[in-house]
Amino acid sequence: MLKKKKNYLVILKLELEDLTEDIDLLIKKCKEDKDDCAITNYVFMENLTLFKNEILGVDVFHDIIDEVSEHIDDYEDLDKMIDYLKSNFQEKMMEFGIAKAINLSILRKMDKVKSYVIQ
């Protein structure tokens, strides 16, 4: 079981890096749209604010994973660890004012990794 929990965290970190890269691509595309006058500066700034907030959410979640990695033996099984990750992230979202949009992306990544690890 310990190996599954460790693998889950390692793969989840990789998925988070992928998510950050996707957000960075969205920022780049949004900047191009602004430069091409496809969107206004106001819309660009609003989008940029949201994207930066989502990156903050990913960074906060990454910190939670690091914390869990240090105390991985404290969790009976994979499901208990995942439940902790989810509940802790919900608390941090409220604490840091993180947009709820990133929560859905992270939950999808968590489910994807879980299905991969348990197979």
Side-chain angles (χ1 to χ4, degrees), residues 18-78:
D18 184 52
L19 182 56
T20 300
E21 288 174 11
D22 290 345
I23 296 168
D24 286 337
L25 287 173
L26 288 171
I27 291 171
K28 182 179 177 185
K29 171 69 170 117
C30 194
K31 184 174 180 349
E32 290 170 1
D33 288 348
K34 180 185 76 87
D35 292 344
D36 294 340
C37 297
I39 61 173
T40 64
N41 192 52
Y42 177 81
V43 171
F44 170 72
M45 294 305 291
E46 288 288 319
N47 289 345
L48 185 61
T49 300
L50 176 62
F51 295 144
K52 293 290 185 178
N53 185 277
E54 289 179 343
I55 289 174
L56 171 66
V58 173
D59 291 344
V60 166
F61 192 67
H62 203 281
D63 290 344
I64 294 168
I65 291 172
D66 289 342
E67 172 201 329
V68 168
S69 293
E70 294 174 11
H71 305 283
I72 199 163
D73 294 330
D74 294 350
Y75 306 97
E76 293 175 29
D77 57 31
L78 182 63

